[in-house]
Amino acid sequence: MDKKKVTLFIVSNQTGKTRKLVLSAAWLKAVSFISAVVIIIFAAGMVDYFGLLLQAMENKRLKAENAQLTKQFQIVESKVSALENSLERVKTFTTKLKLITNVDAEDRITKLTMGPKPAPNQPVEEYEPMEARDDGEALAQQDATFANKKPLNDQAGELANETADKDYASLVIRIEKAVKETQLKEQSVIDLWESLSERQSLLNATPNMKPAKGWITSRFGYRTSPFTGKTTLHAGLDIAAAPGSPIYAPADGVVIFASYDEGYGKLVSIDHGFGVTTRYGHMSQIYVQVGQRVSKWDVIGAVGNTGRSTGPHCHYEVRINGTPVDPINYILDE
């Protein structure tokens, strides 16, 4: 057993007294060892503390940068989504325009119909051919619900989604795809423009807008008839609007019918050439006459509730060589 001792003398500078402190060498070694361990632990703790402090500052900086990058990413993603939507609208627009102006295509009627054709024994609502009548006699039998109104001559200005991954790789792929589609669409539109420039008369005679401002309440296709309760083919679109609202010609053409029909009520039909005719039923007023040439945006009548109708609206039909097709495929902004 180590019995060595260490003597320490403590002298005061003021009083001159001396104190003697005798310590065991073993105890002194133990104290020194413990002190060294404590100092090492303290130093390690301080190093770790300052490391964590620096890391926290770095994390804070990275968090701020990440928040900024996330915001920028969201802005870029929203712009890419807007670009994709615009490209889809351009695609739909050019597809419709190519289809409705390609009069030489054999399957043009089928593609434009995009719905069921009337079966041999299937009832067809408002599908009976128009019968010419004496205008004076027909107009005398019309409903007198709406007051006479002057024609309006002013022109009114009236693209399965999947949730995209919001990571950078997905965004890069979408951007590259959008850029490629933009180049393809640009060439497609240029080709279409060159083609239509050579067929301006066809373009002017193509009905490509809704004839009345309003919302579509019934579309083309089979539905339950509100009059008979049976399934019948609705041969056009019903566009609800306020009584007296103007009905516009959607393209150039010649009026071939302007009178009263038992089913359609006050009815106007326009021949646009190239086998395309349009019908506008349930009018309250008719502002044109048979043989009159009309241009796009000319007011041909007013919305009404005449004939077999359940409320004020414009019944709008598009027919190719007498066969009703879905008018929505002719409306470029729908």
Side-chain angles (χ1 to χ4, degrees):
M1 185 174 180
D2 188 2
K3 295 182 179 181
K4 291 181 179 181
K5 295 182 179 180
V6 177
T7 302
L8 300 176
F9 293 94
I10 303 174
V11 180
S12 175
N13 293 330
Q14 294 179 351
T15 61
K17 293 182 179 181
T18 300
R19 291 183 181 182
K20 179 181 175 182
L21 184 62
V22 181
L23 299 175
S24 170
W27 185 86
L28 186 60
K29 292 179 180 180
V31 171
S32 300
F33 177 77
I34 294 173
S35 299
V37 171
V38 170
I39 292 173
I40 293 174
I41 294 176
F42 177 77
M46 291 300 293
V47 171
D48 190 52
Y49 169 76
F50 283 109
L52 291 175
L53 185 62
L54 292 175
Q55 186 177 3
M57 295 174 62
E58 180 69 11
N59 289 341
K60 186 176 181 180
R61 184 183 66 83
L62 292 176
K63 185 177 180 180
E65 290 182 357
N66 185 62
Q68 184 178 6
L69 290 174
T70 300
K71 185 176 181 180
Q72 293 175 348
F73 182 88
Q74 292 173 347
I75 294 175
V76 173
E77 185 181 32
S78 65
K79 291 183 178 181
V80 171
S81 297
L83 175 60
E84 291 173 338
N85 292 335
S86 297
L87 287 174
E88 188 62 30
R89 288 195 295 270
V90 171
K91 179 181 178 181
T92 302
F93 180 89
T94 54
T95 300
K96 282 187 176 183
L97 200 54
K98 285 181 178 180
L99 185 59
I100 62 181
T101 56
N102 187 13
V103 294
D104 299 325
E106 297 180 356
D107 57 348
R108 177 167 175 256
I109 295 180
T110 302
K111 289 183 178 180
L112 281 170
T113 302
M114 297 295 264
K117 291 185 178 181
N121 299 322
Q122 180 70 45
V124 179
E125 184 178 20
E126 297 177 324
Y127 189 58
E128 297 79 8
M130 301 173 297
E131 296 180 0
R133 300 185 181 183
D134 178 75
D135 287 351
E137 177 183 355
L139 293 175
Q141 300 174 359
Q142 301 177 91
D143 300 337
T145 306
F146 301 97
N148 292 332
K149 295 187 177 183
K150 295 181 180 180
L152 303 177
N153 295 321
D154 58 325
Q155 179 172 334
E158 295 232 275
L159 268 136
N161 293 330
E162 295 181 356
T163 303
D165 296 334
K166 295 185 177 181
D167 56 6
Y168 178 77
S170 175
L171 185 61
V172 170
I173 294 175
R174 290 171 58 191
I175 292 176
E176 291 178 350
K177 181 179 178 181
V179 171
K180 292 180 181 179
E181 289 187 356
T182 301
Q183 296 171 346
L184 294 175
K185 295 294 185 300
E186 180 182 11
Q187 185 59 44
S188 177
V189 171
I190 292 175
D191 294 342
L192 179 60
W193 172 254
E194 292 176 350
S195 174
L196 293 180
S197 297
E198 300 173 358
R199 310 172 73 175
Q200 189 65 39
S201 60
L202 173 59
L203 184 60
N204 293 338
T206 300
N208 55 21
M209 68 179 206
K210 287 197 301 186
K213 298 179 183 178
W215 57 97
I216 298 174
T217 56
S218 184
R219 293 179 176 267
F220 179 91
Y222 285 105
R223 69 174 186 178
T224 300
S225 172
F227 303 102
T228 64
K230 298 180 179 180
T231 301
T232 56
L233 177 66
H234 187 236
L237 295 179
D238 287 345
I239 305 172
S245 299
I247 298 177
Y248 305 93
D252 298 351
V254 177
V255 178
I256 59 175
F257 189 90
S259 185
Y260 191 86
D261 181 271
E262 182 178 355
Y264 290 94
K266 293 181 181 181
L267 171 68
V268 169
S269 182
I270 300 176
D271 186 350
H272 301 281
F274 304 96
V276 179
T277 58
T278 53
R279 293 183 181 185
Y280 316 83
H282 310 304
M283 290 182 171
S284 61
Q285 296 294 325
I286 295 176
Y287 298 146
V288 293
Q289 57 187 358
V290 175
Q292 179 177 341
R293 181 172 293 278
V294 295
S295 300
K296 184 177 181 179
W297 286 108
D298 283 352
V299 178
I300 60 175
V303 173
N305 192 28
T306 57
R308 296 176 60 189
S309 173
T310 58
H313 72 282
C314 172
H315 175 81
Y316 175 51
E317 291 185 14
V318 176
R319 300 188 175 219
I320 299 180
N321 299 325
T323 301
V325 299
D326 191 351
I328 204 70
N329 294 310
Y330 268 88
I331 302 175
L332 297 179
D333 57 353
E334 287 288 333

